[in-house]
Amino acid sequence: MYDFTCQDLPPGIEDAHDSFFAPQTGIFQRFMSWDPVELRSDPDETQPSLPAQLKTKIFEIAESVWELIGSNKLPGVADDSVRFHIKSA
């Protein structure tokens, strides 16, 4: 069965998949395990550490972008309310 909502990813993204998601060396894996000792908070502290807060915000942004793309609400450049006029030479 073929899903007509499926779209091919650009070659640059497809080619970079391994460097991003590789189990031990991928950028995503390194980001998820990032927790510098200098930025860790006290275990009894109720507020999350700075790395945990950063990870949460990045995932919230990614989720918002994903929802915009998935709902087809991401406007095109032509729909931008700010118009730029290029002066012809």
Side-chain angles (χ1 to χ4, degrees):
M1 178 180 266
Y2 185 78
D3 183 5
F4 286 105
T5 62
C6 174
Q7 295 182 1
D8 286 338
L9 294 173
I13 293 175
E14 286 181 356
D15 295 342
H17 186 270
D18 285 339
S19 66
F20 192 75
F21 289 110
Q24 297 299 322
T25 59
I27 295 168
F28 183 74
Q29 299 297 328
R30 288 186 287 164
F31 170 69
M32 291 305 297
S33 63
W34 178 68
D35 189 23
V37 177
E38 301 85 11
L39 297 177
R40 288 185 189 159
S41 58
D42 184 13
D44 296 329
E45 180 69 37
T46 58
Q47 184 164 347
S49 66
L50 181 60
Q53 292 176 35
L54 290 171
K55 291 175 193 179
T56 300
K57 283 297 177 192
I58 289 171
F59 281 118
E60 286 173 356
I61 292 167
E63 183 179 22
S64 296
V65 170
W66 190 257
E67 286 175 4
L68 283 172
I69 292 170
S71 65
N72 216 8
K73 292 181 182 176
L74 194 62
V77 174
D79 300 327
D80 193 354
S81 62
V82 178
R83 303 284 183 209
F84 294 98
H85 300 283
I86 300 174
K87 195 174 189 178
S88 58

